Amino acid sequence: MSLSTQDHQFMVCALQLARLGVRSAHPNPAVGCVVVKHGQIIGKGWHRKAGEPHAEVNALRDAGKGAEGADVYVTLEPCSHHGKTPPCVNALIEAGVARVVIAMQDPNPLVAGAGIKCLTDAGIEVVSGCQQASALLLNQGFVQRMKTGRPRVVSKLAMSLDGRTALANGESAWISSSQSRQDVHGLRAESSAILTASGTVAADDPQLNVRLAGESVERQPDVVIVDTHLRTVPTASVFKQADRKVIIATLSDDAIKHQALKKVGATIVDMRQGLLEQRIDLACLLSLLADQFEHNQIMVEAGAKLNGSLLAEMLIDELVLYQAPVVLGDEGMGLFHLPALTSMNQRIEFHETSSIRLGKDRKIIYQPTLEA
């Protein structure tokens, strides 16, 4: 059955509700739902937090008995398996809804079409694909984790007009504007974890938490530190945020350091298994973060070395650059530490997807250009 203009309008409402859960639903996808009868929305719901009711259940509760015979618009295929909550398809069937319009099929192998089948087997009309592109953008990290087994990686960098991130002596404080810095906290809030390196922790002692002016923070992202030789100290500021995990990936088997860091709450991940060189396998680490910690989106806040390694291995899915109208000079630190290229054929290409002004800065988003 074809979709009407009204179908698209109601799905846009569901997508707006879904966005309310982008910062809190981790590791679940952000999902929104509306219940419609006689052309009017009678129930609204969205998924706020893992373990709490899903969007469909919240919308059906809001609609009450009026849900019988109604149309339901949901941004993701309703689940058909028992997780932390009962299957949403059961709630829809029991409510007696007549039609379910879905933006996109769930990429989770536990669902992946099974939810649609349950509904159609129960005699409910199902239409899929309404506003699908918007729904995919809303949960890019979750979709990537389910399809590839690794999280989406977004690298944030603040730079000068001449492409420098810091002075030659390492000083980098406040290259960007206060508006850009507040925007960064929004990016952190939408991320499952922040990936950094022990060198950054030692040099800057960052908190790497979410601080949003005038807003409550639903969830703090985990912190993942790439620390080959376990140089992170237990007094680092990253350990002062109680309501999150600090995961340290290392090759060190120093029992004393392990014990000291575990005492302040660190989760130590031994990356020595299958090691060919004396370095941490970043692709393996990302797969581990997806599998063991259910991280959907990783935000990279690190220096040129870790960013360069991720870029060289084509593990960066998006670059978010905050360009300030300042010049730091030839001796300033660059964005990426990479081997010298000997041919233009070796260059790594990106394309711009958006650009906006933030105070005096420009925020530019790039994605890698894939070969045809």
Side-chain angles (χ1 to χ4, degrees):
M1 180 179 175
S2 61
L3 293 161
S4 68
T5 300
Q6 196 173 53
D7 286 331
H8 286 283
Q9 290 172 343
F10 286 130
M11 188 60 76
V12 168
C13 294
L15 286 164
Q16 290 170 344
L17 288 167
R19 290 187 182 96
L20 297 174
V22 165
R23 295 178 177 179
S24 62
H26 166 87
N28 293 346
V31 182
C33 179
V34 296
V35 181
V36 176
K37 202 165 189 180
H38 307 308
Q40 299 294 321
I41 294 176
I42 62 169
K44 297 180 181 180
W46 54 283
H47 181 49
R48 178 179 169 273
K49 191 176 181 181
E52 294 187 3
H54 287 189
E56 300 94 320
V57 172
N58 288 328
L60 290 171
R61 286 176 180 173
D62 190 35
K65 293 182 180 180
E68 185 176 357
D71 291 351
V72 173
Y73 296 81
V74 61
T75 59
L76 186 70
E77 177 184 2
C79 64
S80 55
H81 67 290
H82 282 272
K84 293 181 179 179
T85 59
C88 291
V89 290
N90 291 1
L92 291 165
I93 294 167
E94 289 168 10
V97 304
R99 179 173 179 253
V100 177
V101 181
I102 298 166
M104 62 172 283
Q105 192 176 96
D106 194 329
N108 186 342
L110 294 172
V111 184
I116 292 173
K117 185 176 185 303
C118 285
L119 294 172
T120 55
D121 286 350
I124 298 172
E125 180 187 347
V126 178
V127 184
S128 185
C130 182
Q131 295 290 321
Q132 180 172 280
S134 297
L136 282 165
L137 283 174
L138 191 66
N139 287 300
Q140 290 179 86
F142 176 77
V143 172
Q144 180 158 308
R145 175 165 71 90
M146 289 297 155
K147 288 189 173 181
T148 70
R150 75 170 181 86
R152 184 168 180 263
V153 176
V154 177
S155 180
K156 181 276 299 181
L157 292 159
M159 69 175 191
S160 62
L161 287 175
D162 51 348
R164 307 298 175 181
T165 62
L167 298 177
N169 62 9
E171 183 181 348
S172 62
W174 315 137
I175 290 178
S176 56
S177 67
S178 59
Q179 292 93 330
S180 292
R181 295 194 295 275
Q182 190 63 196
D183 192 70
V184 168
H185 284 279
L187 288 177
R188 287 179 180 176
E190 294 176 6
S191 301
S192 303
I194 298 168
L195 178 66
T196 191
S198 57
T200 298
V201 174
D204 302 333
D205 193 26
Q207 297 179 65
L208 296 178
N209 61 359
V210 179
R211 303 183 299 279
L212 292 166
E215 295 184 43
S216 61
V217 177
E218 290 269 359
R219 176 191 59 85
Q220 289 290 346
D222 293 343
V223 172
V224 182
I225 304 172
V226 177
D227 189 354
T228 305
H229 304 293
L230 213 56
R231 291 171 176 161
T232 302
V233 295
T235 55
S237 293
V238 291
F239 297 113
K240 295 176 183 177
Q241 187 81 47
D243 53 345
R244 67 175 180 190
K245 289 185 179 71
V246 177
I247 301 157
I248 303 179
T250 187
L251 303 180
S252 172
D253 60 356
D254 189 316
I256 294 175
K257 289 183 177 179
H258 275 240
Q259 185 177 8
L261 289 165
K262 287 180 179 178
K263 192 173 181 180
V264 294
T267 299
I268 309 295
V269 177
D270 187 345
M271 298 296 296
R272 288 177 297 166
Q273 187 174 358
L275 190 70
L276 299 177
E277 302 175 39
Q278 286 304 306
R279 65 179 184 84
I280 289 173
D281 186 327
L282 295 174
C284 180
L285 173 60
L286 290 172
S287 296
L288 182 148
L289 294 175
D291 182 41
Q292 292 190 23
F293 299 96
E294 297 184 294
H295 288 160
N296 294 323
Q297 179 162 298
I298 304 291
M299 180 177 174
V300 184
E301 296 200 51
K305 187 174 180 181
L306 179 55
N307 271 296
S309 296
L310 289 165
L311 184 60
E313 295 182 41
M314 297 304 293
L315 295 173
I316 294 177
D317 299 296
E318 187 169 272
L319 288 175
V320 180
L321 301 183
Y322 296 89
Q323 187 180 53
V326 298
V327 174
L328 298 183
D330 290 346
E331 299 301 317
M333 296 183 178
L335 298 172
F336 304 100
H337 178 71
L338 290 166
L341 303 184
T342 57
S343 166
M344 286 297 286
N345 291 332
Q346 297 173 316
R347 68 181 186 258
I348 302 170
E349 291 191 19
F350 283 79
H351 60 275
E352 182 181 316
T353 61
S354 69
S355 175
I356 61 170
R357 297 202 69 84
L358 288 171
K360 60 185 177 61
D361 302 337
R362 285 183 69 217
K363 176 187 177 183
I364 315 165
I365 298 179
Y366 292 97
Q367 291 182 350
T369 301
L370 303 178
E371 293 182 7

